[in-house]
Amino acid sequence: MPATSTGSFTLLHRFCALVVLLTFVHISVSLVFYVCSTDVSTAFLSIPKNPNRTVATEQLRSAEDHLGKELELQQCPDTSPLLGRGREVCVCVCPLTVELMCVYVTCVSVGPLTVEFGVEVTLQQVKEKNPDVMEGGWRPSDCVSVQRVAILIPFRHRDEHLKLWLHYMHPILQRQQLDYRVYIINQAGERRFNRAKLLNVGFTEALKDYDYNCFVFSDVDIIPLDDRNIYGCFDQPRHLSVSMDKFRFRLPYKQYFGGVSSLSKEQFLKINGFPNNYWGWGGEDDDIYNRCVFKGMTISRPSAQIGRCRMIKHKRDAKNDANPRRHSQITHTRETMETDGINSLTYKVVDIKKLQLFTNITVDVGQP
């Protein structure tokens, strides 16, 4: 055979060998990806289960367990990246907490907010704008929030105010990356209103749903003007509605603790909850302030700028007239707080409805 023919055959032989090798590598890689992307129990369905599994199967399961731990959600940052000061923030959303897996960018306007009460809002509109809110609550999908917050609103005959509150607050609470749920504590009947007792009921009933570690107590007619005013808990009891338009954006007096406040579960139990015997308007927030001070705690507040709020103007409810005994009751807080509170709470649940935007708890709290 001529030398040129021999050389061509050798070259062709080498080329064929290379093709075979590449085919083998391709099949091997495909097999590895198939095994890694298939449930072990499915991939080895034909193999009967027994306690003496092969070393290879054990190693594969160990690798899957390790991968699962790698994909566990991290704790949410102390300050949400979605909050700021009057600027647009864009955040890359990574469903698997891996930078290369970012699939889209979400941009929101943050910081000082424009709150208008002249607009008409329906519950359906609020639902459509907050599709991820279920049973009145939401939690981050890309991190684990340290704050498990129950937001409690004492309520009766304030449906229009509630629509506005839900319209503004659900987006804010989600940007704050809170694990939260909204509870409307609705007082049944037409007897004199008892705000503090309703909040005690909310605390008790909310803990039947979830292991909350933080409670925000909010009137339904107050909206914050800055999303950096965190509706969460701190080392000390927190007063959130620091400067309201009603008071020309000033704190009316140093001991003022009304409107919106927050206490951790431990702080709330330490003061024996709120008083049950304040019927009608006024006094209970000063009693709560006294309870905190008498238990060695101080009231923390955001800055006057971040703590700015707007209040919806309205007439006082007919059955929420001023409490004539409030001044006398406040002077006896130290004497009554150990026996009048969460440890002496009595009420009757009339109805509970878990709706998309809030959980409604209607209760009979009795009468004076």
Side-chain angles (χ1 to χ4, degrees), residues 14-126:
R14 289 179 178 178
F15 177 77
C16 290
L18 179 60
V19 170
V20 171
L21 179 60
L22 290 175
T23 302
F24 176 78
V25 171
H26 175 74
I27 293 174
S28 300
V29 171
S30 299
L31 181 61
V32 169
F33 274 97
Y34 172 77
V35 171
C36 291
S37 63
T38 306
D39 191 325
V40 177
S41 62
T42 303
F44 295 94
L45 189 60
S46 60
I47 301 177
K49 295 182 179 180
N50 69 74
N52 300 315
R53 292 176 294 184
T54 63
V55 174
T57 304
E58 291 284 4
Q59 290 177 341
L60 183 57
R61 186 172 294 280
S62 176
E64 284 189 331
D65 292 341
H66 178 73
L67 179 61
K69 292 180 180 179
E70 288 293 319
L71 296 179
E72 286 181 356
L73 295 178
Q74 302 297 313
Q75 180 177 306
C76 296
D78 292 337
T79 301
S80 169
L82 300 177
L83 306 179
R85 181 174 175 79
R87 58 191 175 87
E88 187 174 65
V89 173
C90 297
V91 179
C92 183
V93 178
C94 306
L96 295 179
T97 67
V98 179
E99 289 186 5
L100 295 178
M101 296 297 293
C102 292
V103 293
Y104 63 91
V105 173
T106 179
C107 300
V108 294
S109 297
V110 294
L113 308 172
T114 299
V115 175
E116 298 294 342
F117 296 141
V119 297
E120 291 188 6
V121 177
T122 67
L123 290 180
Q124 184 59 37
Q125 290 173 333
V126 181

Side-chain angles (χ1 to χ4, degrees), residues 11 30 52 100-101 136 147 150 158 173 177 206 244 249 321 359:
L11 181 61
S30 299
N52 300 315
L100 295 178
M101 296 297 293
Q147 301 268 15
R158 305 286 286 278
L173 297 169
Q177 293 188 321
M244 288 193 289
F249 297 109
D321 50 320
T359 294

Side-chain angles (χ1 to χ4, degrees), residues 182-286:
V182 177
Y183 291 87
I184 303 302
I185 318 302
N186 180 44
Q187 182 171 328
E190 300 298 330
R191 295 168 179 166
R192 187 169 292 179
F193 197 66
N194 191 324
R195 177 180 183 270
K197 190 172 185 179
L198 290 172
L199 295 175
N200 278 343
V201 171
F203 175 88
T204 304
E205 291 295 318
L207 285 174
K208 296 178 182 179
D209 282 343
Y210 193 42
D211 183 24
Y212 295 106
N213 57 14
C214 176
F215 296 83
V216 172
F217 309 95
S218 175
D219 290 344
V220 73
D221 54 6
I222 297 178
I223 310 295
L225 292 175
D226 196 308
D227 62 9
R228 294 170 298 170
N229 191 1
I230 306 300
Y231 272 49
C233 291
F234 298 78
D235 293 338
Q236 298 293 332
R238 187 81 161 180
H239 185 216
L240 298 169
S241 52
V242 173
S243 52
M244 288 193 289
D245 57 347
K246 174 183 178 180
F247 302 122
R248 299 183 179 180
F249 297 109
R250 298 176 182 176
L251 193 67
Y253 53 95
K254 183 179 179 181
Q255 295 80 16
Y256 181 66
F257 200 51
V260 187
S261 60
S262 70
L263 285 85
S264 69
K265 181 180 179 181
E266 291 74 19
Q267 292 164 356
F268 186 88
L269 293 175
K270 188 174 183 179
I271 65 173
N272 191 26
F274 298 162
N276 297 310
N277 293 318
Y278 280 78
W279 298 91
W281 177 86
E284 82 287 342
D285 48 350
D286 292 321

